[in-house]
Amino acid sequence: MPELKTDLRPMFSYSFLPIVVTFIICLILFFLIYIPKKKKPLQIIKPPVDDLEKIKKKYLRELNELLNNFNNKTFNNRLSYQKLSKIIRNFIYEVTNIKVINYTLEDIEKLNIPCLAKLIKDFYNPEFSIISEGDLKKAIEKTKEVILKWN
């Protein structure tokens, strides 16, 4: 019987360079995607004092109109709170140029405007709950205080 001879090939070896290059690319992608970028702080642009007084009068007038509509039963409690929230958000937008109109409560709390955060937090339950309960007159008074004290 003839003897079977098997030729073995030498062991295959991978180049180490593609592995290193792939690892470096993955590392760079990780840092580009997952490392948070520094956000530049919001710049609050204050209007001139004359304009600020006009803006305050405008929003105080809107609050009075809202109270009249609520008293005349034109608006229900939920709609009144929604309009109240919109009024104070628009006021803050006009005096600071920060678009709080689109912000959630969490975003507003990060702005470091505690008076606005407290008001919006107070408005959330009556504004969004199934049964809207809240003292709108007291909420309007608090909103007026914030507007009047703003400088």
Side-chain angles (χ1 to χ4, degrees):
M1 186 162 355
E3 196 175 305
L4 293 174
K5 191 173 182 190
T6 309
D7 287 337
L8 296 177
R9 295 183 184 214
M11 199 160 98
F12 184 76
S13 135
Y14 290 101
S15 172
F16 194 64
L17 185 64
I19 295 172
V20 170
V21 170
T22 304
F23 178 75
I24 291 173
I25 289 173
C26 289
L27 199 61
I28 290 171
L29 287 175
F30 174 79
F31 280 109
L32 289 175
I33 294 171
Y34 292 107
I35 301 300
K37 295 172 180 62
K38 290 183 180 179
K39 293 181 180 178
K40 55 183 178 181
L42 290 170
Q43 292 181 347
I44 297 178
I45 301 171
K46 292 186 177 185
V49 177
D50 294 342
D51 290 346
L52 181 60
E53 291 306 314
K54 288 177 188 175
I55 293 169
K56 284 182 180 183
K57 286 179 185 177
K58 172 185 168 186
Y59 286 98
L60 291 172
R61 190 171 40 251
E62 286 186 27
L63 288 173
N64 288 330
E65 288 174 14
L66 175 63
L67 184 59
N68 289 336
N69 285 331
F70 179 73
N71 288 335
N72 295 334
K73 308 275 191 234
T74 307
F75 299 148
N76 64 15
N77 206 35
R78 173 176 286 131
L79 183 60
S80 298
Y81 270 97
Q82 289 170 352
K83 291 197 178 288
L84 184 58
S85 177
K86 188 175 179 181
I87 289 170
I88 191 63
R89 288 169 186 256
N90 284 331
F91 170 76
I92 297 296
Y93 173 66
E94 271 196 60
V95 296
T96 64
N97 207 29
I98 299 172
K99 294 186 178 183
V100 293
I101 300 157
N102 304 328
Y103 285 19
T104 64
L105 176 59
E106 188 177 308
D107 297 334
I108 291 171
E109 287 172 339
K110 291 176 185 175
L111 287 177
N112 197 22
I113 306 176
C115 58
L116 176 64
K118 171 116 177 61
L119 283 176
I120 298 300
K121 191 173 188 176
D122 291 346
F123 299 167
Y124 254 51
N125 192 27
E127 191 175 353
F128 295 112
S129 65
I130 295 171
I131 299 171
S132 180
E133 293 178 357
D135 187 356
L136 183 73
K137 292 176 184 177
K138 191 182 285 185
I140 288 176
E141 286 305 314
K142 287 180 183 178
T143 307
K144 282 182 181 180
E145 285 177 30
V146 168
I147 290 173
L148 289 171
K149 290 180 182 177
W150 192 271
N151 52 2

